[in-house]
Amino acid sequence: MTTTRRPTLERIRALRGRLYWPYLGVFLAFHLLLPLAFVPQLFSWTGLLLVPVGNFVFGSMGVNVGYHRLLTHRSFKCPTWLERTFVILGVCSLESGPGHWVAVHRKHHQHSDEEPDPHSPLVGFLWGHVGWLVVKSPATSGLFFHDKYARDVFADPFYSGLHRNLMWFWVWVAHASLFFPGGVLVGLAMGWSWPEAAWFGGSLLVWGVLVRTVYVWHITWAVNSLSHLWGYRNYDTGEHSTNNWFVALLTNGEGWHNNHHAAPRAASHGHRWWELDLTYQALVLLRRLGLVWDVVAPKVAEARVIHRGPHRPRRSGRDSALPSSTPSPDAMQDGDES
């Protein structure tokens, strides 16, 4: 066992001058383009509908299921073609390649809210939400980091291929390029003029890609920030994860974060009857269809159950001890398969 320090501002100061300009540039560009959503000609009800639909398809089934519950924690099994479909949907959320995403998240679980945690909001809300993404840190990049935390993912030629030459980014570009021409073709098929069809295609691009991508970004990041600052706790997990109903609602279940930290391998993040987890319900449906199996059920020691109430983290206190061993999908948490 090794003793680690709580995250501090010193770590951020040490990273000054290491801004990761490619990511920062994309982040700024997307947010600067958001006012396009307020252009009247670029609004359509179909485009607006693509935000929640896209959130479920690319956010819930892609990031929540593909990146998180499947690749990171191996919460269930499925055919290879379906696994890769989930992952490609996750790639279309533009949250980095699957191997890197998995490595960062596994490190977060191993050192949650301690000094090595890549994105603890105990340093500051903005750092935990987005700041950690726009700096180049040797602790979350490079061959050693990826080999330590995501060796199993990078061992698959399909996933290592997505990482090589930023192929995952070009997959996102390819999917985004379909929205405008698709909208134009639909408009022309409905008998609209070319300008009307072009405006409709533009609305699908702005709302179905730009707005949806930024929305999925922020609700994913809210799990890292809000769900470690405000909410209630069902379990004593040794860090500051909370169950945040607002984040859970936006992310279709990922906001039950204290439950997740108590049983990381469990496919279901909602442990009480009213903790709705639509992502898990999708897996239940797929299991009934025979497309997924060996779904891991929550298994938490009774001694870890605590009084349920509001939680606000404290920045000071006794340091906790964390294991220094390399996490693996099977070692993250024991659980029963159902």
Side-chain angles (χ1 to χ4, degrees):
M1 304 289 285
T2 59
T3 301
T4 55
R5 298 177 301 161
R6 296 187 181 280
T8 61
L9 289 173
E10 281 73 16
R11 185 172 66 175
I12 297 180
R13 295 190 182 103
L15 294 172
R16 283 179 177 173
R18 296 184 183 177
L19 289 176
Y20 187 40
W21 287 105
Y23 196 97
L24 180 59
V26 172
F27 173 84
L28 291 175
F30 270 64
H31 286 78
L32 289 174
L33 289 172
L34 277 181
L36 289 174
F38 296 98
V39 175
Q41 293 89 338
L42 290 176
F43 174 83
S44 70
W45 290 107
T46 303
L48 181 63
L49 182 62
L50 286 179
V51 177
V53 171
N55 174 46
F56 185 81
V57 173
F58 302 111
S60 298
M61 302 310 295
V63 177
N64 298 1
V65 171
Y67 275 25
H68 190 196
R69 306 191 195 192
L70 180 53
L71 283 193
T72 303
H73 297 294
R74 297 296 177 183
S75 300
F76 63 93
K77 296 178 182 178
C78 66
T80 301
W81 67 266
L82 184 57
E83 173 182 315
R84 292 179 176 176
T85 298
F86 287 143
V87 171
I88 289 298
L89 293 177
V91 167
C92 294
S93 291
L94 200 60
E95 294 190 8
S96 82
H100 180 73
W101 199 102
V102 167
V104 169
H105 191 69
R106 287 179 180 170
K107 184 171 185 177
H108 164 67
H109 272 276
Q110 187 184 27
H111 299 290
S112 184
D113 289 327
E114 298 292 345
E115 185 69 20
D117 187 345
H119 46 63
S120 174
L122 300 190
V123 174
F125 172 80
L126 288 179
W127 171 260
H129 191 73
V130 68
W132 69 279
L133 285 164
V134 298
V135 296
K136 187 73 170 179
S137 171
T140 54
S141 61
L143 293 176
F144 176 79
F145 169 70
H146 290 144
D147 182 66
K148 180 177 181 180
Y149 288 100
R151 179 183 301 174
D152 57 315
V153 178
F154 282 100
D156 188 319
F158 180 77
Y159 299 128
S160 60
L162 284 174
H163 183 77
R164 193 177 302 114
N165 298 322
L166 294 179
M167 186 57 65
W168 60 270
F169 174 77
W170 297 112
V171 170
W172 179 89
V173 171
H175 111 282
S177 67
L178 299 176
F179 282 74
F180 177 75
V184 171
L185 291 176
V186 169
L188 293 176
M190 296 181 66
W192 298 346
S193 66
W194 274 98
E196 291 173 329
W199 282 118
F200 181 69
S203 75
L204 300 193
L205 179 63
V206 168
W207 288 89
V209 177
L210 177 64
V211 176
R212 182 261 303 173
T213 298
V214 173
Y215 176 76
V216 173
W217 279 353
H218 282 284
I219 63 175
T220 301
W221 302 339
V223 177
N224 300 333
S225 56
L226 295 178
S227 293
H228 275 262
L229 291 174
W230 297 287
Y232 66 91
R233 293 164 61 83
N234 288 335
Y235 307 103
D236 180 5
T237 52
E239 28 66 33
H240 293 283
S241 61
T242 69
N243 292 325
N244 187 301
W245 67 266
F246 180 67
V247 177
L249 178 66
L250 297 179
T251 59
N252 293 321
E254 293 288 293
W256 308 122
H257 202 50
N258 176 246
N259 296 346
H260 173 55
H261 272 262
R265 285 204 64 215
S268 173
H269 290 190
H271 292 184
R272 305 177 74 185
W273 69 266
W274 48 267
E275 292 173 343
L276 180 62
D277 183 355
L278 289 180
T279 300
Y280 176 67
Q281 294 306 315
L283 290 177
V284 170
L285 176 60
L286 291 172
R287 181 173 58 184
R288 290 176 178 173
L289 295 174
L291 292 173
V292 305
W293 58 89
D294 291 349
V295 179
V296 179
K299 181 181 179 182
V300 183
E302 185 64 27
R304 300 178 72 183
V305 178
I306 62 176
H307 173 71
R308 298 177 176 93
H311 170 73
R312 295 184 69 87
R314 293 175 297 177
R315 292 178 181 270
S316 61
R318 186 176 62 183
D319 291 335
S320 63
L322 292 173
S324 58
S325 59
T326 301
S328 66
D330 295 329
M332 296 302 295
Q333 174 72 25
D334 292 331
D336 295 328
E337 293 178 353
S338 59

